[in-house]
Amino acid sequence: MKVVLEARNIKKSFGGIQALKGVSIKLYEHETLALLGDNGAGKSTLIKIISGVYKPDEGEIFIDGKKVEFKDPRDARELGIETVYQELSLLDQQDVVTNVFLGREMLKFKLAYIFNILNTKVMEKRTKKLLDEMGIKTISNLRKEVKLLSGGQRQAVALARARLSKPRILILDEPTAALGVKETRMILELIKKFKEEGVPMILISHSLPIVFEIADRIVILREGKVVAEERVEETNEKEVVSFMVGVEG
């Protein structure tokens, strides 16, 4: 199976703290890879390096076998890496349409290369179509400020924004954190749509039932190192927890 993303021997320190100590992972075509570990294991640092937020101290990133270097998250997005963080990075004071098209606004025309006139009607129409295609039925008012939405609705907006870009690789950081049962199920169904379409994904989640429902393979980090790599059907929650806390064997 084709490797779409490889992080090779990634090291990263913050002051005297070594967050990553030579981590290597591969993400295959059409695969959902769960990245697990206790707090401080290095999961967030690794995905921020893959997303262009941090630069590694050492190591290399490859996309489709080609070595890449990111100056910032824009570089990663231009190569098709979309990341939905736990904190979402939505503009609370703006509406659903604005957040879905954030950074990809559609223009009617420009005036003297200074004033941009947005094509708001087309953006709203495309947002409605996008939400309908994703089966998001809980957001009826597209002009509602996202700060007034529920946690699940906000997460749905973030996923819609990711889908708009047609990502080559999708990274999900705790996509169901702090959601109730009903909204968690809604978000899982949205993630499954990406999976059904063959989008390679990296998933960080503290919910092992969700991991075993969604993921194909699991990589476990502990203290900045990869300590285990298992296919979902070849392991279980008890074994995963043992690797995470360091009592394997």
Side-chain angles (χ1 to χ4, degrees):
M1 191 178 294
K2 181 181 178 182
V3 178
V4 295
L5 170 71
E6 180 179 4
R8 188 182 299 173
N9 194 34
I10 302 297
K11 296 181 181 179
K12 182 66 177 178
S13 295
F14 299 95
I17 300 174
Q18 192 170 7
L20 297 175
K21 305 172 183 177
V23 169
S24 297
I25 66 168
K26 292 180 179 179
L27 176 66
Y28 294 93
E29 198 169 29
H30 309 308
E31 178 185 49
T32 300
L33 174 67
L35 190 61
L36 304 184
D38 212 344
N39 292 333
K43 308 182 300 298
S44 293
T45 300
L46 180 60
I47 66 166
K48 286 181 178 179
I49 287 173
I50 295 172
S51 302
V53 176
Y54 297 150
K55 292 184 179 180
D57 298 331
E58 295 182 36
E60 300 169 307
I61 303 289
F62 298 84
I63 296 180
D64 294 325
K66 181 180 179 181
K67 183 178 176 180
V68 297
E69 294 183 6
F70 303 139
K71 297 189 296 292
D72 53 40
R74 182 177 299 178
D75 285 349
R77 286 195 298 270
E78 287 179 353
L79 289 175
I81 298 176
E82 284 290 332
T83 304
V84 179
Y85 293 105
Q86 184 175 353
E87 58 269 22
L88 296 181
S89 300
L90 298 178
L91 300 180
D92 282 344
Q93 308 298 327
Q94 299 296 327
D95 61 26
V96 173
V97 175
T98 300
N99 274 279
V100 168
F101 275 88
L102 189 63
R104 301 180 183 86
E105 292 82 0
M106 301 178 68
L107 304 180
K108 278 186 176 180
F109 51 83
K110 294 183 178 182
L111 295 176
Y113 301 97
I114 298 175
F115 300 104
N116 297 332
I117 308 301
L118 297 181
N119 198 334
T120 54
K121 288 185 178 180
V122 173
M123 288 165 58
E124 185 169 343
K125 185 176 179 180
R126 287 195 61 184
T127 298
K128 184 179 186 308
K129 181 180 179 182
L130 180 63
L131 297 183
D132 288 343
E133 289 173 349
M134 295 177 71
I136 301 172
K137 303 182 184 301
T138 62
I139 303 175
S140 57
N141 183 1
L142 301 183
R143 289 302 174 183
K144 194 172 187 177
E145 293 182 2
V146 297
K147 69 179 181 180
L148 302 176
L149 301 179
S150 69
Q153 290 172 327
R154 288 166 57 84
Q155 188 66 258
V157 171
L159 289 171
R161 184 170 69 189
R163 185 184 175 89
L164 181 68
S165 69
K166 299 180 180 178
R168 179 74 178 93
I169 296 163
L170 179 60
I171 301 175
L172 302 169
D173 180 16
E174 296 287 357
T176 60
L179 299 184
V181 174
K182 186 176 181 180
E183 291 199 318
T184 292
R185 178 48 51 187
M186 178 186 72
I187 297 304
L188 288 182
E189 293 305 315
L190 295 179
I191 294 171
K192 286 180 178 179
K193 289 183 184 293
F194 285 100
K195 187 177 179 70
E196 290 166 2
E197 293 167 0
V199 178
M201 294 185 284
I202 297 176
L203 169 69
I204 292 179
S205 178
H206 279 96
S207 172
L208 292 184
I210 287 175
V211 167
F212 276 82
E213 179 177 349
I214 296 291
D216 302 299
R217 192 163 52 91
I218 297 171
V219 167
I220 302 169
L221 298 181
R222 189 172 71 243
E223 297 178 354
K225 295 180 179 180
V226 173
V227 295
E229 183 176 334
E230 302 282 351
R231 292 202 60 80
V232 166
E233 66 268 19
E234 295 173 356
T235 188
N236 54 60
E237 292 187 23
K238 183 178 179 181
E239 183 178 47
V240 167
V241 171
S242 72
F243 280 118
M244 289 172 61
V245 301
V247 295
E248 65 270 19

